[in-house]
């Protein structure tokens, strides 16, 4: 069987957990391939709601093996707490696998993240302050600490000392903070060695062997396309590649093993943090979308910025990810509007632009060009077939499908795991 990638097609928070969970009982492995605990999924199972920050959402499906791939940065304290929290709710976490090549977020990464954001003032990026960016910076600078280093104290100590040699200079001389002791960090990290040891496996081999034996492997991005460090709205992006190309490097599965790339996108648009957002609403409609959609970040706790659907962004996501399908979520949130605007292009310096602008400057100056579609007032949360939707809701979905050029294969009509209309099987 081939591997399937699920990737956010906007700025993240599109409902990837719902999509993963929908497929979970037919998927053998669910892999997080990038990001850290700056991402989050909310998964509703019956009357229970689970907030996942680092763990793959497949952790909630009995028989499915969740995998934290080499492309993820892991805060061991967060991992321990999240596992304990799920176990307290009766969730079996014993199948979890962690790559030995995944990098660790250390206390000094968190410290540097927070002080750097404060130092930037109004120019801040809007990070979550959880040390993800500094951990990825160390990875690229070859100063990182990996999961496997916890099992060799001598190597761990050498690497921590090498990393702190520069960081302490920055903390003390630039940020006026205290120097961090090597022993302090080494001792704190070694506390997690025994917890992690049973979970660590050669995940690249495990996954490739599983594919060879006919297993279904689902690769789950942590954020959205527009937060990709290469393809997103730089510099207001994450520090890794949530786009489909990152699925291979972050999991150790070659690109020829991937045959399906599913983009998750809301029926409107949201983002958390700073950066350009052409369709953002600062009025009653924005407040209404935020309230009805429950638009508050799972990990950050921050209110999400809300706006109307943006076709150029969706087409851009289709292009850079090679999308084969869209999974449209939260269609139910749009119930109650007489008319629903859809951004079909931008105006930039008097010019109409129908694709994502090439430069940061142009995107910052882009204003939306809207087409108005008729809305609906009927409750759609119980719809399970496309024909159950009101005519105007059906027309809205078909309009987005035609405008983006990608078939919409599933539609979320409510927060419950069963509140989904499946138009085309995402596995077969």
């Amino acid at each position: 069987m081939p591997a399937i990638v699920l990737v956010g097609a906007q700025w993240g928070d599109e409902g990837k957990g719902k999509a993963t969970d929908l497929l979970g009982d037919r998927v053998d492995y669910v892999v997080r391939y990038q990001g850290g605990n700056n991402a989050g999924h909310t998964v509703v199972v019956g009357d229970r709601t689970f907030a996942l920050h680092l763990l793959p959402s497949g952790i909630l499906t009995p028989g499915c093996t969740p995998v934290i791939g080499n492309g993820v940065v892991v805060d061991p304290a967060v991992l321990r707490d999240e596992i304990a929290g799920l176990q307290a709710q009766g969730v079996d976490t014993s199948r979890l696998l962690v790559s030995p090549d995944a990098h660790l977020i250390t206390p000094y990464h968190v410290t540097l993240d927070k002080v750097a954001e404060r130092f930037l003032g109004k120019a801040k990026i809007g990070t979550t302050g959880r040390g993800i960016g500094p951990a990825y910076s160390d990875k690229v600078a070859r100063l990182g600490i990996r999961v496997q280093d916890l099992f060799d104290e001598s190597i761990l100590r050498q690497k921590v000392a090498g990393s702190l040699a520069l960081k302490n200079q920055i903390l003390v001389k630039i940020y006026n903070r205290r120097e961090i002791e090597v022993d302090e960090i080494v001792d704190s990290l070694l506390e997690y060695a025994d917890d992690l040891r049973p979970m660590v496996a050669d995940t690249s081999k495990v996954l490739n062997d599983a594919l060879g034996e006919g297993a279904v492997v689902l690769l789950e991005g942590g954020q959205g396309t527009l937060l990709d460090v290469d393809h997103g709205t730089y510099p207001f992006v994450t520090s890794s590649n949530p786009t489909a190309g990152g699925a291979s490097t972050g999991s150790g599965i070659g690109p020829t093993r991937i045959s399906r790339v599913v983009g998750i996108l809301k029926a409107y648009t949201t983002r958390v943090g700073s950066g350009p957002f052409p369709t953002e609403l600062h009025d009653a409609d924005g407040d209404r979308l935020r309230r009805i959609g429950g638009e508050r970040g799972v990990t950050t706790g921050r209110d999400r910025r809300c706006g109307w659907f943006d076709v150029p962004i969706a087409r851009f996501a289709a292009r850079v990810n090679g999308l084969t399908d869209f999974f449209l979520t939260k269609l139910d949130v749009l119930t109650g509007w007489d008319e629903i605007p859809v951004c079909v292009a931008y105006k930039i310096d008097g010019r109409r632009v129908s694709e994502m602008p090439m430069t940061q400057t142009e995107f910052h100056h882009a204003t939306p060009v809207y087409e108005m579609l008729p809305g609906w007032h009927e409750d759609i949360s119980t719809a399970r077939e496309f024909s159950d939707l009101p005519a105007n809701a059906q027309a809205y979905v078909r309009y987005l499908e035609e405008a983006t050029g990608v078939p919409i294969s599933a539609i979320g009509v409510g927060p419950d795991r069963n509140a989904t209309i499946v138009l085309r099987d995402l596995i077969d």
Side-chain angles (χ1 to χ4, degrees):
M1 288 291 292
I4 303 164
V5 178
L6 284 184
V7 59
Q10 294 158 320
W11 275 285
D13 305 308
E14 301 94 346
K16 294 180 290 294
K18 180 180 177 66
T20 306
D21 191 56
L22 172 71
L23 300 172
D25 59 356
R26 301 169 61 199
V27 171
D28 302 296
Y29 294 81
V30 176
V31 186
R32 270 287 302 275
Y33 59 83
Q34 54 77 223
N37 56 304
N38 56 342
H41 298 319
T42 299
V43 180
V44 179
V45 182
D47 59 354
R48 295 195 295 170
T49 299
F50 297 90
L52 305 177
H53 305 282
L54 184 59
L55 293 170
S57 49
I59 194 90
L60 299 174
T61 303
C64 180
T65 300
V67 177
I68 294 177
N70 58 275
V72 178
V73 288
V74 178
D75 185 324
V78 171
L79 182 60
R80 174 193 275 177
D81 290 347
E82 193 163 334
I83 289 172
L86 290 178
Q87 289 174 341
Q89 297 183 73
V91 176
D92 177 17
T93 63
S94 63
R95 300 174 71 92
L96 175 65
L97 300 179
V98 179
S99 170
D101 297 330
H103 281 245
L104 292 174
I105 299 172
T106 71
Y108 55 77
H109 290 134
V110 177
T111 298
L112 283 165
D113 202 359
K114 291 178 177 177
V115 298
E117 276 286 275
R118 285 197 292 270
F119 186 80
L120 288 170
K122 291 183 179 180
K124 66 181 181 181
I125 302 300
T127 76
T128 58
R130 287 166 169 78
I132 282 84
Y136 275 116
S137 294
D138 273 5
K139 176 180 179 176
V140 175
R142 291 158 291 185
L143 292 170
I145 312 297
R146 296 188 293 178
V147 168
Q148 61 182 277
D149 297 329
L150 296 180
F151 312 130
D152 188 324
E153 184 175 348
S154 176
I155 286 179
L156 177 63
R157 188 173 297 278
Q158 290 176 42
K159 290 188 174 183
V160 169
S163 187
L164 283 178
L166 174 61
K167 290 176 176 58
N168 275 329
Q169 296 293 315
I170 296 171
L171 285 169
V172 174
K173 296 180 180 179
I174 297 177
Y175 296 125
N176 197 30
R177 299 294 293 261
R178 73 171 181 86
E179 185 173 288
I180 298 175
E181 298 292 334
V182 172
D183 286 347
E184 173 188 344
I185 299 300
V186 171
D187 291 345
S188 69
L189 291 176
L190 287 175
E191 288 182 16
Y192 304 101
D194 289 340
D195 288 344
L196 280 167
R197 195 184 301 272
M199 309 173 196
V200 175
D202 185 347
T203 53
S204 174
K205 186 176 188 308
V206 168
L207 293 171
N208 278 281
D209 287 349
L211 286 168
E213 294 167 3
V216 177
V217 174
L218 194 63
L219 298 150
E220 175 182 78
Q223 289 101 3
T225 296
L226 275 295
L227 290 179
D228 188 279
V229 69
D230 286 295
H231 302 291
T233 50
Y234 192 90
F236 304 100
V237 293
T238 193
S239 303
S240 57
N241 295 107
T243 44
S248 287
T249 54
S251 67
I253 293 174
T256 56
R257 308 301 295 268
I258 297 169
S259 69
R260 203 84 174 260
V261 183
V262 181
I264 317 302
L265 79 170
K266 286 176 181 168
Y268 49 102
T269 310
T270 64
R271 81 171 294 175
V272 172
S274 305
F277 183 179
T279 68
E280 183 174 11
L281 298 169
H282 301 281
D283 57 12
D285 283 334
D287 292 338
R288 184 175 170 187
L289 285 172
R290 188 176 300 108
R291 175 176 52 81
I292 298 173
E295 297 298 350
R296 179 173 286 267
V298 179
T299 295
T300 64
R302 293 180 288 185
D303 284 344
R304 297 181 184 129
R305 300 156 64 189
C306 295
W308 299 119
F309 190 91
D310 190 315
V311 170
I313 282 175
R315 280 205 298 263
F316 175 77
R319 169 162 54 89
V320 299
N321 289 294
L323 296 181
T324 58
D325 307 78
F326 272 132
F327 188 134
L328 185 71
T329 64
K330 291 196 169 184
L331 183 64
D332 54 301
V333 174
L334 296 182
T335 298
W337 270 272
D338 293 328
E339 287 188 311
I340 303 172
V342 174
C343 173
V344 296
Y346 307 124
K347 276 289 182 70
I348 304 173
D349 297 329
R351 296 178 295 113
R352 182 184 171 111
V353 177
S354 59
E355 300 292 339
M356 272 283 290
M358 185 175 69
T359 70
Q360 175 185 347
T361 300
E362 288 179 315
F363 197 54
H364 271 283
H365 290 91
T367 58
V369 176
Y370 288 116
E371 286 192 14
M372 305 301 293
L373 301 184
W376 62 92
H377 293 267
E378 300 91 333
D379 178 14
I380 66 171
S381 62
T382 60
R384 296 297 178 267
E385 300 290 337
F386 189 69
S387 58
D388 295 336
L389 293 175
N392 286 349
Q394 293 184 36
Y396 184 82
V397 172
R398 293 306 185 203
Y399 181 89
L400 298 188
E401 191 172 51
E402 182 176 351
T404 61
V406 178
I408 293 173
S409 296
I411 305 165
V413 293
D416 190 79
R417 71 194 305 183
N418 297 317
T420 303
I421 297 169
V422 179
L423 303 176
R424 186 168 73 134
D425 197 319
L426 293 174
I427 292 181
D428 292 338

